[in-house]
Amino acid sequence: MLVLCCGNPDRGDDAAGLLVARRLRKLGIDCLEHSGEGLSLLEAWQGADEVVLVDAVVTGRPAGAVSVWDALAAPLAGWPLPGSSHALGLAEAVALGRVLGRLPRRVTLYGIEARRFELGKRPGRALLRGVVEVAKRIRADGADRRPPV
Amino acid sequence: MSAKVGRNGSRSIKVDYLTRVEGEGSILVKLKGDQVQDVQLRIFEPPRLFEAFLRGRHYLETPDIVARICGICPVAYQMSAVHALERILGITVDPAVRLLRRLLYCGEWIESHALHIFLLHAPDFLGYPDVISMAAGHRELVEQALRLKKIGNRVMTVLGGREIHPISVTVGGFHKVPAKADLRVLVDELAWARDTSVAAARIVAGLEFPDFKQDYEFVALSHPEEYPLNEGRLVSNKGLDIEVAEYGEQFVEQHVKHSNALHSRLRERGAYLVGPLARFNLNFDKLPETAQQVAGECGVTPPCRNPFRGIVVRAVELVFACEEALRLIAQYEAPAAPRVLAHVCPGVGHAATEAPRGVLYHRYEIDERGLILNAQIVPPTAQNQKRIEDDLWHYVPQLTGLPVETITAKCEQAVRNYDPCISCATHFVKVQRVG
């Protein structure tokens, strides 16, 4: 199983995925930090059978709330954050992967509800609760562990 | 997007978020009858203050700091910075280092041009809202684009240490240079990229282009022997021919109320255009024969004044970048040392290089300790802002009889002719259409 944790360390709660990655490593679970840029996500999960994605989301739930989606079951349209970019986001990567037949057999998305995205701000406390919960759930879901040192 | 009709019959078209551009901006077009009353390219990406961050930092930190301005064209920022600083320190780099820098830049052009041509701009011409919708009908084209972009990124990784925000570039050269064998592994993929780019340029040339031409002042670097990337004089089709150090005498940056990015103007003649169209028109004779032939087959010859045909010109430049990368790899011999060390001395240095979107000017002043006293960074999108607004002033009257949704889509397409990078410029655009 490939765990891809997406985020931006300089944009407040948008760091959610990266914070989960750091926590997973402490738990002995292999994962990759990723910017969330869609085209490179397509490359990152190429050849993987099962992928777990972690990212900040905005759905209107309280900050730090955790949502889980089967990314292959339904389009993630409307899920990505508002804005625009040269780069595709995670939801667009899944959508493009679906059209091109470039999706792993299983893609699970853990979304942590985010609220503040200001440049240079630290993640909010409420978000951190979601970070802890997602790390625990990924471990419980059976992510690979590093061999003991 | 929203549209309003005023009491006096005026119409406003507002595109709240300009998509498929980098950063946040909008467009506002106000119409009264068939007359355009106002056009504003509103850049509300917050100011990013990189020039202020640089003050007080050691000059050696500059390439890594300025690379963070953009995830699409970090090499451009690094190149303009190191050239400007090397001019202060009197550094002349090893010819092999110069070659590697040009090769690194080719990698960035390949990934950036492939992204914009096929994934961001082609959907406009083919009538799709985005590349995801386009992929269903043009799967092979999208797959090719992804592979092209990947090859560009691969070049950047081999030379720069990673594909985004490379870490090997430094003042005086590189922290580490590749062996010949490290570059040879790129040859097969780059040869595929060149051949695919030629075929793709022919496809792009078959798109439908609006009949729209403007009397642009094109500004680009010009080098006596090569298509410009890292150095040259600043020239235009209207008489400009200066050393880069004279930039401040000829160009001025102005704040406008509706934009967080400064507008650039030529002091004497106002708005001007930088980017592929300018480079192509001013440097056609420096393109390799393959790229010149492709341009001819694709129906673009200088002077090309239709900004919508910029997508074809960009494809020609993609051919060039692949061809040039292959040429450079064939010539490469590792330098004796990866970098030149220099004694610090105070001074002022200027440089301009050709980012994928056009001229990128940097100016630095450092003190006797090597600390930066002042920095000025003028990105291509900031320079093109006024020109983008002027294009819309002249293009929208052709569209006034169309439904608002169609006008909006065509205005967005016109803005994307410039591949604007708003994040770079603010140091840019939700599109708001009022009309």
Side-chain angles (χ1 to χ4, degrees):
Chain A
M1 183 169 72
L2 174 66
V3 182
L4 290 167
C5 301
C6 306
N8 182 337
D10 301 319
R11 282 270 191 174
D13 289 354
D14 200 18
L18 306 182
L19 295 172
V20 169
R22 287 158 201 178
R23 198 160 185 89
L24 286 173
R25 285 200 201 95
K26 286 181 180 171
L27 296 171
I29 297 168
D30 283 332
C31 59
L32 292 175
E33 293 185 17
H34 197 280
S35 68
E37 194 280 309
L39 297 177
S40 61
L41 274 175
L42 285 173
E43 294 297 332
W45 67 48
Q46 193 166 0
D49 180 60
E50 184 174 350
V51 169
V52 170
L53 297 166
V54 185
D55 204 354
V57 298
V58 176
T59 68
R61 297 179 66 200
V66 174
S67 305
V68 186
W69 290 273
D70 173 354
L72 304 187
L76 293 168
W79 176 79
L81 299 172
S84 58
S85 169
H86 270 115
L88 304 184
L90 187 154
E92 292 92 339
V94 171
L96 185 57
R98 183 179 284 114
V99 175
L100 298 175
R102 284 196 184 198
L103 287 179
R105 182 182 57 80
R106 186 173 173 198
V107 181
T108 306
L109 169 62
Y110 286 91
I112 303 173
E113 196 73 18
R115 183 156 293 159
R116 41 196 283 188
F117 299 94
E118 296 94 332
L119 278 167
K121 295 288 185 188
R122 290 183 176 179
R125 286 186 181 176
L127 181 101
L128 299 177
R129 287 196 292 274
V131 168
V132 172
E133 182 185 338
V134 168
K136 282 181 181 171
R137 289 174 71 165
I138 290 174
R139 182 169 69 164
D141 287 348
D144 293 341
R145 286 171 180 272
R146 288 179 183 150
V149 178
Chain B
M1 184 194 85
S2 61
K4 287 193 303 191
V5 179
R7 286 181 184 170
N8 60 358
S10 66
R11 292 187 296 163
S12 296
I13 300 173
K14 194 176 177 187
V15 180
D16 294 326
Y17 270 104
L18 185 59
T19 58
R20 283 182 274 136
V21 301
E22 165 56 31
E24 296 176 2
S26 63
I27 293 171
L28 180 68
V29 177
K30 288 185 179 175
L31 292 173
K32 187 171 184 181
D34 292 342
Q35 299 295 313
V36 178
Q37 292 195 305
D38 196 12
V39 172
Q40 292 181 7
L41 183 62
R42 295 176 167 181
I43 293 180
F44 46 81
E45 174 96 3
R48 300 176 68 207
L49 309 172
F50 270 91
E51 290 146 320
F53 292 158
L54 286 161
R55 282 185 213 138
R57 307 304 291 252
H58 194 270
Y59 78 90
L60 285 172
E61 294 181 272
T62 311
D64 294 323
I65 293 174
V66 297
R68 291 285 171 171
I69 293 174
C70 186
I72 307 294
C73 51
V75 170
Y77 285 89
Q78 293 186 316
M79 290 297 115
S80 289
V82 296
H83 285 299
L85 292 163
E86 285 164 3
R87 281 179 190 135
I88 299 175
L89 303 171
I91 293 173
T92 303
V93 300
D94 188 292
V97 166
R98 183 182 188 278
L99 179 152
L100 287 175
R101 287 178 172 176
R102 197 167 166 82
L103 180 58
L104 180 60
Y105 227 142
C106 285
E108 181 162 282
W109 276 33
I110 293 168
E111 63 89 10
S112 178
H113 279 10
L115 173 67
H116 188 259
I117 296 165
F118 304 109
L119 305 180
L120 302 177
H121 211 191
D124 286 330
F125 291 90
L126 294 168
Y128 295 99
D130 51 52
V131 68
I132 298 161
S133 311
M134 190 179 94
H138 299 273
R139 179 172 173 162
E140 189 181 349
L141 192 63
V142 172
E143 291 279 15
Q144 287 179 344
L146 292 172
R147 188 170 165 189
L148 282 165
K149 186 176 186 304
K150 186 178 175 183
I151 293 167
N153 285 340
R154 179 77 184 131
V155 173
M156 290 172 69
T157 302
V158 169
L159 272 72
R162 59 186 183 190
E163 64 188 42
I164 302 175
H165 306 137
I167 51 173
S168 66
V169 174
T170 187
V171 177
F174 289 87
H175 292 295
K176 182 184 177 188
V177 294
K180 282 182 77 165
D182 296 327
L183 301 186
R184 254 188 248 118
V185 299
L186 300 168
V187 168
D188 288 348
E189 278 292 274
L190 280 166
W192 177 90
R194 177 196 54 202
D195 297 345
T196 302
S197 300
V198 170
R202 291 172 182 144
I203 294 172
V204 170
L207 299 171
E208 191 173 321
F209 303 101
D211 182 14
F212 179 76
K213 291 179 182 173
Q214 293 291 288
D215 181 22
Y216 296 109
E217 176 153 6
F218 298 110
V219 173
L221 289 176
S222 178
H223 186 277
E225 293 163 8
E226 57 195 21
Y227 200 72
L229 282 169
N230 275 40
E231 54 196 77
R233 291 174 66 81
L234 272 169
V235 303
S236 84
N237 55 323
K238 297 196 177 182
L240 182 78
D241 187 352
I242 60 169
E243 291 291 341
V244 172
E246 299 171 271
Y247 183 93
E249 297 164 27
Q250 298 291 331
F251 297 86
V252 63
E253 288 187 290
Q254 293 178 325
H255 173 70
V256 296
K257 198 174 176 182
H258 57 270
S259 176
N260 284 343
L262 296 170
H263 277 207
S264 290
R265 294 164 188 264
L266 274 156
R267 288 182 192 275
E268 293 184 359
R269 296 181 294 276
Y272 60 101
L273 183 152
V274 299
L277 212 55
R279 282 192 296 258
F280 176 84
N281 284 326
L282 295 167
N283 295 282
F284 179 79
D285 60 328
K286 304 296 187 311
L287 283 169
E289 194 178 336
T290 317
Q292 289 191 15
Q293 279 179 359
V294 170
E297 290 170 23
C298 292
V300 286
T301 50
C304 177
R305 295 194 175 93
N306 183 336
F308 293 92
R309 289 189 183 273
I311 190 171
V312 184
V313 169
R314 207 171 252 110
V316 171
E317 282 198 335
L318 186 55
V319 174
F320 154 73
C322 297
E323 182 92 2
E324 180 70 358
L326 286 164
R327 184 186 73 82
L328 293 166
I329 290 172
Q331 288 185 352
Y332 178 65
E333 296 289 345
R339 63 184 288 214
V340 175
L341 299 172
H343 291 293
V344 177
C345 61
V348 175
H350 315 251
T353 66
E354 286 286 352
R357 287 150 203 84
V359 172
L360 170 60
Y361 169 77
H362 286 212
R363 174 191 181 277
Y364 297 95
E365 180 179 8
I366 65 173
D367 67 15
E368 66 284 355
R369 295 167 297 169
L371 301 183
I372 295 174
L373 298 173
N374 288 292
Q376 183 187 8
I377 296 172
V378 187
T381 295
Q383 298 179 70
N384 278 334
Q385 275 182 110
K386 183 69 173 69
R387 195 53 259 182
I388 294 171
E389 288 183 351
D390 287 357
D391 273 10
L392 292 174
W393 273 98
H394 294 98
Y395 182 49
V396 169
Q398 294 185 13
L399 310 173
T400 53
L402 299 171
V404 165
E405 292 75 13
T406 310
I407 300 175
T408 300
K410 289 182 178 295
C411 284
E412 290 189 37
Q413 179 182 14
V415 172
R416 283 192 282 268
N417 288 335
Y418 290 82
D419 188 12
C421 189
I422 298 170
S423 298
C424 287
T426 55
H427 71 133
F428 176 74
V429 188
K430 264 184 175 175
V431 177
Q432 296 183 325
R433 293 208 230 169
V434 184

